[in-house]
Amino acid sequence: PQNPKTPSVLVKNFNLKMVSTGDDKEVVYSVSFNQNQDQFAVATNKGFQVYSMSSELIRCIKREFKGGLSVVQMLGMSNILLLVATGENPDYPSTNVMIWDDKQLAVINHVEFLPPIKSLSYNCEMYMVGTAESILCMTLDGHNKVHEIVTKFNEKGLHAIS
């Protein structure tokens, strides 16, 4: 039986490949859900998009970033998102976590790391940065490193938190 708290979502004609013709091709690099599991964000070679899953799938936000984004992570239902660029644009290196405020439509802060960032995740207390050799636990206020877990080679920076 379906959990009564789980919304029933109607998905019509949704294609995550987001492919068109020629140089205008949009490629998906990552998909992440918010903590309530009622919205998700998609990072592409053109920027990011946020979708809401109420009674049907609705695109709420579409933003473009020159050079594209490799990772996007929503912070709950807030207007703040964590972004990592592909590194193809020198203004947005893949070694930075950018803190994006969608209300201001601007990067309001960034945190630089030495190795390229492969993944991000967030819980209510901190965010995690995955690199090929470690997972870093960071505070959202002040962006201080709380803990670093050195891993074996982890090409995608895979990790999970709850």
Side-chain angles (χ1 to χ4, degrees):
Q2 185 175 355
N3 182 342
K5 292 184 180 181
T6 304
S8 174
V9 176
L10 176 62
V11 179
K12 296 180 184 176
N13 301 324
F14 183 69
N15 182 357
L16 256 185
K17 290 183 182 175
M18 295 183 197
V19 174
S20 58
T21 59
D23 292 338
D24 200 29
K25 184 177 180 181
E26 189 161 20
V27 179
V28 173
Y29 291 130
S30 72
V31 177
S32 65
F33 284 85
N34 70 348
Q35 290 65 45
N36 298 336
Q37 304 293 311
D38 59 355
Q39 292 186 333
F40 67 93
V42 180
T44 75
N45 63 323
K46 304 225 179 247
F48 74 89
Q49 301 174 33
V50 175
Y51 292 85
S52 176
M53 300 182 304
S54 51
S55 60
E56 64 181 29
L57 190 65
I58 300 167
R59 183 173 65 198
C60 307
I61 299 171
K62 181 175 183 176
R63 304 287 180 249
E64 292 189 4
F65 275 80
K66 187 177 178 183
L69 298 173
S70 60
V71 183
V72 59
Q73 178 63 56
M74 301 174 66
L75 304 187
M77 295 291 292
S78 77
N79 53 302
I80 306 296
L81 294 100
L82 302 176
L83 309 175
V84 178
T86 61
E88 293 178 23
N89 180 343
D91 293 335
Y92 304 116
S94 63
T95 55
N96 284 359
V97 172
M98 297 179 285
I99 294 84
W100 173 264
D101 184 337
D102 204 62
K103 197 176 245 184
Q104 297 180 39
L105 297 177
V107 174
I108 57 171
N109 201 350
H110 73 275
V111 183
E112 188 172 347
F113 297 87
L114 289 177
I117 299 163
K118 305 293 185 176
S119 64
L120 289 172
S121 59
Y122 169 78
N123 71 13
C124 296
E125 300 171 13
M126 63 183 65
Y127 65 98
M128 312 295 223
V129 177
T131 70
E133 289 133 13
S134 68
I135 307 296
L136 296 106
C137 307
M138 307 290 294
T139 62
L140 197 54
D141 58 340
H143 306 284
N144 299 312
K145 181 171 70 171
V146 176
H147 190 65
E148 181 173 4
I149 303 163
V150 177
T151 65
K152 296 224 181 228
F153 182 70
N154 182 3
E155 181 179 0
K156 304 278 185 193
L158 298 176
H159 67 278
I161 60 174
S162 60

